[in-house]
PDB file of all heavy atoms in Angstrom:
ATOM      1  N   MET A   1     -17.405 -28.961 -30.893  1.00  0.00           N
ATOM      2  CA  MET A   1     -17.038 -27.726 -30.176  1.00  0.00           C
ATOM      3  C   MET A   1     -16.632 -26.652 -31.186  1.00  0.00           C
ATOM      4  O   MET A   1     -15.783 -26.880 -32.026  1.00  0.00           O
ATOM      5  CB  MET A   1     -15.882 -28.014 -29.226  1.00  0.00           C
ATOM      6  CG  MET A   1     -15.633 -26.872 -28.291  1.00  0.00           C
ATOM      7  SD  MET A   1     -14.895 -27.398 -26.757  1.00  0.00           S
ATOM      8  CE  MET A   1     -16.040 -28.597 -26.149  1.00  0.00           C
ATOM      9  N   SER A   2     -17.277 -25.522 -31.088  1.00  0.00           N
ATOM     10  CA  SER A   2     -17.024 -24.503 -32.108  1.00  0.00           C
ATOM     11  C   SER A   2     -15.662 -23.848 -31.901  1.00  0.00           C
ATOM     12  O   SER A   2     -15.101 -23.869 -30.805  1.00  0.00           O
ATOM     13  CB  SER A   2     -18.115 -23.443 -32.061  1.00  0.00           C
ATOM     14  OG  SER A   2     -17.904 -22.615 -30.948  1.00  0.00           O
ATOM     15  N   LYS A   3     -15.174 -23.277 -32.970  1.00  0.00           N
ATOM     16  CA  LYS A   3     -13.863 -22.631 -32.926  1.00  0.00           C
ATOM     17  C   LYS A   3     -13.843 -21.469 -31.951  1.00  0.00           C
ATOM     18  O   LYS A   3     -12.839 -21.155 -31.331  1.00  0.00           O
ATOM     19  CB  LYS A   3     -13.496 -22.131 -34.326  1.00  0.00           C
ATOM     20  CG  LYS A   3     -12.794 -23.182 -35.145  1.00  0.00           C
ATOM     21  CD  LYS A   3     -12.315 -22.587 -36.437  1.00  0.00           C
ATOM     22  CE  LYS A   3     -11.693 -23.675 -37.301  1.00  0.00           C
ATOM     23  NZ  LYS A   3     -11.758 -23.366 -38.714  1.00  0.00           N
ATOM     24  N   ARG A   4     -14.999 -20.821 -31.836  1.00  0.00           N
ATOM     25  CA  ARG A   4     -15.092 -19.658 -30.958  1.00  0.00           C
ATOM     26  C   ARG A   4     -14.777 -20.034 -29.511  1.00  0.00           C
ATOM     27  O   ARG A   4     -14.035 -19.345 -28.823  1.00  0.00           O
ATOM     28  CB  ARG A   4     -16.506 -19.085 -31.050  1.00  0.00           C
ATOM     29  CG  ARG A   4     -16.554 -17.603 -30.839  1.00  0.00           C
ATOM     30  CD  ARG A   4     -17.896 -17.069 -31.200  1.00  0.00           C
ATOM     31  NE  ARG A   4     -18.944 -17.919 -30.640  1.00  0.00           N
ATOM     32  CZ  ARG A   4     -20.221 -17.555 -30.561  1.00  0.00           C
ATOM     33  NH1 ARG A   4     -20.594 -16.396 -31.022  1.00  0.00           N
ATOM     34  NH2 ARG A   4     -21.124 -18.351 -30.044  1.00  0.00           N
ATOM     35  N   TYR A   5     -15.337 -21.163 -29.068  1.00  0.00           N
ATOM     36  CA  TYR A   5     -15.099 -21.593 -27.688  1.00  0.00           C
ATOM     37  C   TYR A   5     -13.648 -21.959 -27.469  1.00  0.00           C
ATOM     38  O   TYR A   5     -13.067 -21.667 -26.424  1.00  0.00           O
ATOM     39  CB  TYR A   5     -16.000 -22.781 -27.345  1.00  0.00           C
ATOM     40  CG  TYR A   5     -17.407 -22.366 -27.008  1.00  0.00           C
ATOM     41  CD1 TYR A   5     -18.496 -22.921 -27.656  1.00  0.00           C
ATOM     42  CD2 TYR A   5     -17.633 -21.405 -26.026  1.00  0.00           C
ATOM     43  CE1 TYR A   5     -19.784 -22.531 -27.357  1.00  0.00           C
ATOM     44  CE2 TYR A   5     -18.916 -21.011 -25.711  1.00  0.00           C
ATOM     45  CZ  TYR A   5     -19.992 -21.572 -26.375  1.00  0.00           C
ATOM     46  OH  TYR A   5     -21.242 -21.180 -26.075  1.00  0.00           O
ATOM     47  N   ILE A   6     -13.080 -22.620 -28.470  1.00  0.00           N
ATOM     48  CA  ILE A   6     -11.670 -23.000 -28.341  1.00  0.00           C
ATOM     49  C   ILE A   6     -10.810 -21.745 -28.243  1.00  0.00           C
ATOM     50  O   ILE A   6      -9.912 -21.638 -27.406  1.00  0.00           O
ATOM     51  CB  ILE A   6     -11.230 -23.887 -29.525  1.00  0.00           C
ATOM     52  CG1 ILE A   6     -11.979 -25.214 -29.439  1.00  0.00           C
ATOM     53  CG2 ILE A   6      -9.733 -24.117 -29.506  1.00  0.00           C
ATOM     54  CD1 ILE A   6     -11.818 -26.097 -30.634  1.00  0.00           C
ATOM     55  N   PHE A   7     -11.150 -20.774 -29.082  1.00  0.00           N
ATOM     56  CA  PHE A   7     -10.386 -19.515 -29.053  1.00  0.00           C
ATOM     57  C   PHE A   7     -10.498 -18.860 -27.682  1.00  0.00           C
ATOM     58  O   PHE A   7      -9.501 -18.420 -27.095  1.00  0.00           O
ATOM     59  CB  PHE A   7     -10.921 -18.575 -30.143  1.00  0.00           C
ATOM     60  CG  PHE A   7     -10.341 -17.199 -30.057  1.00  0.00           C
ATOM     61  CD1 PHE A   7      -9.013 -16.957 -30.402  1.00  0.00           C
ATOM     62  CD2 PHE A   7     -11.107 -16.125 -29.603  1.00  0.00           C
ATOM     63  CE1 PHE A   7      -8.483 -15.693 -30.311  1.00  0.00           C
ATOM     64  CE2 PHE A   7     -10.577 -14.856 -29.507  1.00  0.00           C
ATOM     65  CZ  PHE A   7      -9.258 -14.648 -29.874  1.00  0.00           C
ATOM     66  N   LEU A   8     -11.723 -18.804 -27.133  1.00  0.00           N
ATOM     67  CA  LEU A   8     -11.914 -18.161 -25.825  1.00  0.00           C
ATOM     68  C   LEU A   8     -11.168 -18.909 -24.730  1.00  0.00           C
ATOM     69  O   LEU A   8     -10.550 -18.294 -23.859  1.00  0.00           O
ATOM     70  CB  LEU A   8     -13.410 -18.094 -25.485  1.00  0.00           C
ATOM     71  CG  LEU A   8     -14.186 -17.016 -26.217  1.00  0.00           C
ATOM     72  CD1 LEU A   8     -15.665 -17.126 -25.915  1.00  0.00           C
ATOM     73  CD2 LEU A   8     -13.673 -15.633 -25.835  1.00  0.00           C
ATOM     74  N   ALA A   9     -11.226 -20.240 -24.790  1.00  0.00           N
ATOM     75  CA  ALA A   9     -10.531 -21.031 -23.770  1.00  0.00           C
ATOM     76  C   ALA A   9      -9.039 -20.773 -23.831  1.00  0.00           C
ATOM     77  O   ALA A   9      -8.381 -20.559 -22.797  1.00  0.00           O
ATOM     78  CB  ALA A   9     -10.829 -22.513 -23.974  1.00  0.00           C
ATOM     79  N   VAL A  10      -8.496 -20.753 -25.040  1.00  0.00           N
ATOM     80  CA  VAL A  10      -7.059 -20.498 -25.191  1.00  0.00           C
ATOM     81  C   VAL A  10      -6.725 -19.094 -24.707  1.00  0.00           C
ATOM     82  O   VAL A  10      -5.733 -18.867 -24.011  1.00  0.00           O
ATOM     83  CB  VAL A  10      -6.631 -20.695 -26.666  1.00  0.00           C
ATOM     84  CG1 VAL A  10      -5.204 -20.211 -26.867  1.00  0.00           C
ATOM     85  CG2 VAL A  10      -6.757 -22.155 -27.048  1.00  0.00           C
ATOM     86  N   LEU A  11      -7.598 -18.152 -25.029  1.00  0.00           N
ATOM     87  CA  LEU A  11      -7.358 -16.770 -24.620  1.00  0.00           C
ATOM     88  C   LEU A  11      -7.316 -16.646 -23.094  1.00  0.00           C
ATOM     89  O   LEU A  11      -6.408 -16.028 -22.520  1.00  0.00           O
ATOM     90  CB  LEU A  11      -8.461 -15.869 -25.176  1.00  0.00           C
ATOM     91  CG  LEU A  11      -8.352 -14.383 -24.823  1.00  0.00           C
ATOM     92  CD1 LEU A  11      -7.220 -13.731 -25.594  1.00  0.00           C
ATOM     93  CD2 LEU A  11      -9.655 -13.664 -25.103  1.00  0.00           C
ATOM     94  N   LEU A  12      -8.290 -17.275 -22.428  1.00  0.00           N
ATOM     95  CA  LEU A  12      -8.352 -17.184 -20.967  1.00  0.00           C
ATOM     96  C   LEU A  12      -7.136 -17.835 -20.315  1.00  0.00           C
ATOM     97  O   LEU A  12      -6.479 -17.247 -19.465  1.00  0.00           O
ATOM     98  CB  LEU A  12      -9.635 -17.836 -20.451  1.00  0.00           C
ATOM     99  CG  LEU A  12     -10.905 -17.008 -20.624  1.00  0.00           C
ATOM    100  CD1 LEU A  12     -12.113 -17.793 -20.162  1.00  0.00           C
ATOM    101  CD2 LEU A  12     -10.801 -15.707 -19.850  1.00  0.00           C
TER     102      LEU A  12
ATOM    103  N   ARG B  54     -21.471 -21.629 -15.722  1.00  0.00           N
ATOM    104  CA  ARG B  54     -20.575 -21.015 -16.701  1.00  0.00           C
ATOM    105  C   ARG B  54     -20.478 -19.512 -16.508  1.00  0.00           C
ATOM    106  O   ARG B  54     -19.398 -18.925 -16.610  1.00  0.00           O
ATOM    107  CB  ARG B  54     -21.084 -21.301 -18.113  1.00  0.00           C
ATOM    108  CG  ARG B  54     -20.835 -22.710 -18.510  1.00  0.00           C
ATOM    109  CD  ARG B  54     -21.555 -22.994 -19.787  1.00  0.00           C
ATOM    110  NE  ARG B  54     -21.186 -24.300 -20.261  1.00  0.00           N
ATOM    111  CZ  ARG B  54     -21.060 -24.592 -21.530  1.00  0.00           C
ATOM    112  NH1 ARG B  54     -21.277 -23.685 -22.444  1.00  0.00           N
ATOM    113  NH2 ARG B  54     -20.716 -25.804 -21.887  1.00  0.00           N
ATOM    114  N   VAL B 178     -11.911 -23.795 -17.542  1.00  0.00           N
ATOM    115  CA  VAL B 178     -12.030 -24.332 -18.895  1.00  0.00           C
ATOM    116  C   VAL B 178     -12.406 -25.810 -18.845  1.00  0.00           C
ATOM    117  O   VAL B 178     -13.221 -26.294 -19.638  1.00  0.00           O
ATOM    118  CB  VAL B 178     -10.715 -24.100 -19.675  1.00  0.00           C
ATOM    119  CG1 VAL B 178     -10.729 -24.863 -20.982  1.00  0.00           C
ATOM    120  CG2 VAL B 178     -10.533 -22.612 -19.950  1.00  0.00           C
ATOM    121  N   PHE B 181     -16.051 -25.913 -18.233  1.00  0.00           N
ATOM    122  CA  PHE B 181     -16.783 -25.612 -19.468  1.00  0.00           C
ATOM    123  C   PHE B 181     -16.854 -26.852 -20.362  1.00  0.00           C
ATOM    124  O   PHE B 181     -17.890 -27.197 -20.913  1.00  0.00           O
ATOM    125  CB  PHE B 181     -16.107 -24.476 -20.250  1.00  0.00           C
ATOM    126  CG  PHE B 181     -16.096 -23.164 -19.528  1.00  0.00           C
ATOM    127  CD1 PHE B 181     -15.095 -22.231 -19.761  1.00  0.00           C
ATOM    128  CD2 PHE B 181     -17.083 -22.842 -18.608  1.00  0.00           C
ATOM    129  CE1 PHE B 181     -15.078 -21.022 -19.096  1.00  0.00           C
ATOM    130  CE2 PHE B 181     -17.075 -21.640 -17.945  1.00  0.00           C
ATOM    131  CZ  PHE B 181     -16.072 -20.729 -18.188  1.00  0.00           C
TER     132      PHE B 181
END
Side-chain angles (χ1 to χ4, degrees):
Chain A
M1 191 153 304
S2 75
K3 272 187 184 154
R4 211 169 45 166
Y5 280 127
I6 294 171
F7 172 72
L8 283 174
V10 171
L11 180 72
L12 283 176
Chain B
R54 286 170 173 215
V178 170
F181 296 152

